[in-house]
Amino acid sequence: MPAVVIEDVHKKFGNLEVLKGVSLSVEAGQVVAIIGRSGSGKSTLLRCINGLEVFQSGRIEVVGHNLDQDPDHLRSLRKDVGIVFQSYNLFPHLTVGQNIMLAPRITKGVSNAEAKSLADEVLAQVGLSEKIDSYPDNLSGGQQQRVAIARSLAMRPKVMLFDEVTSALDPELTGEVLLVMEKLAEGGMTMLLVTHEMSFARTVADTTVFMHQGKVWEAGPSSELFAAPKTQELRNFIGASKH
Ligand code: ADP
Ligand code: MG
C-alpha cells in the first residue's frame, strides 16, 4: 500500500477554490518534489497532508491514518508525519538539544536519558553534534534549519514534508540543507517537498509534480518531466526558473 494516498481533494478558503481535485500517490521510500508558481496550492496541499488544513471533499490517507477530523486520529497522524517550514521556529531560550528533546518528552513521554540519546542521534544525522548546547541565535540560518529538521526527525516520522525550507537562506547556506535532505532521501525516508531548487528536484526526487491553478498539471519521473515537459505551462515555468 502506498505511504500517501490523495484522491480528488478539493479545498476552499471561503469562495476561493485552492485545490481543485488533486490526486497523488506516494510509495514508501519515494521522494516527490512539488513545483509550481506562487499561489498554485503547493503549501495548502502539504498542510492538508498532515491535517493543518481541513479540506471539503476527497480522501487523504497517510501511512494508514485516514485524515478525517477526529482529534485522536490527527494526534497519532502527527507523530508519524513531520513537517518543516521555511521559518525554523526554534525556541530561542532553549538550547539546540532542549529544542529537540521537547516534543518527544511531551508527546511520547520518553525519559530524559532517552530524549538525550535521540537528540545525539538526530544531530549526528544533520552533522551538528557539536552544537547540542548552543542557542539558536548563535547558529547560522542553515544550521538552524538543520536543527529544525533534526527536531522533526526526533519524532521518528515515517513521512517528512518540507515546504520551501531553503527559501529564506542565502545561496551559500542552501547547499548544506539540501545535502541533509539528500542524505535523508538516500536513507529511504518517504519525502514530499515543495521547492524552487529545480536541480535538486531533477536529481534527487524520483517524481516531480507540477502544480498549476490548484491542479496537478503534470507529473512524472523527474528526469522525464524536466527533459520533456508536455504542457506549455510547465515549459514556461521551467524556462522562467533558469537564470
Ligand atoms: P503556494 O504554496 O503554491 O504558493 P498556497 O497553497 O500558499 O500556494 O496558496 C494557494 C492560494 O490559497 C493562494 O491564492 C493563497 O492566497 C490562498 N490561501 C492560502 N492560505 C490561505 C488562507 N489561510 N486563507 C485564505 N486564502 C489562503
Ligand atoms: Mg507555499
Side-chain angles (χ1 to χ4, degrees), residues 126-218:
V126 302
L128 288 175
S129 296
E130 76 285 5
K131 299 295 186 190
I132 190 160
D133 294 322
S134 301
Y135 284 88
D137 284 350
N138 296 327
L139 304 180
S140 72
Q143 290 171 333
Q144 289 186 55
Q145 189 59 293
R146 285 151 67 195
V147 172
I149 293 172
R151 175 182 55 182
S152 203
L153 291 175
M155 293 296 286
R156 299 211 184 283
K158 296 179 180 150
V159 176
M160 285 285 290
L161 311 174
F162 297 91
D163 193 356
E164 296 195 25
V165 293
T166 61
S167 292
L169 298 175
D170 294 334
E172 68 267 28
L173 299 179
T174 296
E176 66 185 54
V177 175
L178 293 180
L179 204 63
V180 164
M181 292 166 70
E182 190 173 347
K183 278 205 296 189
L184 266 184
E186 283 167 3
M189 179 63 79
T190 308
M191 294 168 43
L192 276 93
L193 54 110
V194 173
T195 187
H196 291 301
E197 298 289 333
M198 292 302 130
S199 66
F200 186 81
R202 185 165 44 78
T203 56
V204 178
D206 304 292
T207 298
T208 294
V209 172
F210 171 58
M211 287 194 63
H212 187 65
Q213 296 179 352
K215 293 180 177 160
V216 173
W217 205 258
E218 208 175 318

Side-chain angles (χ1 to χ4, degrees), residues 37-97:
R37 287 218 296 262
S38 179
S40 57
K42 305 180 300 295
S43 294
T44 303
L45 180 62
L46 277 198
R47 292 168 61 81
C48 283
I49 294 173
N50 83 332
L52 289 171
E53 296 286 356
V54 178
F55 51 95
Q56 280 75 34
S57 67
R59 187 174 84 92
I60 300 183
E61 195 178 318
V62 186
V63 287
H65 304 285
N66 199 10
L67 280 225
D68 46 34
Q69 291 313 307
D70 183 324
D72 287 338
H73 292 176
L74 277 182
R75 236 184 323 257
S76 60
L77 165 99
R78 293 214 182 102
K79 287 180 189 164
D80 283 339
V81 183
I83 187 162
V84 183
F85 301 99
Q86 184 176 323
S87 54
Y88 332 120
N89 304 316
L90 299 172
F91 290 112
H93 61 291
L94 299 180
T95 65
V96 162

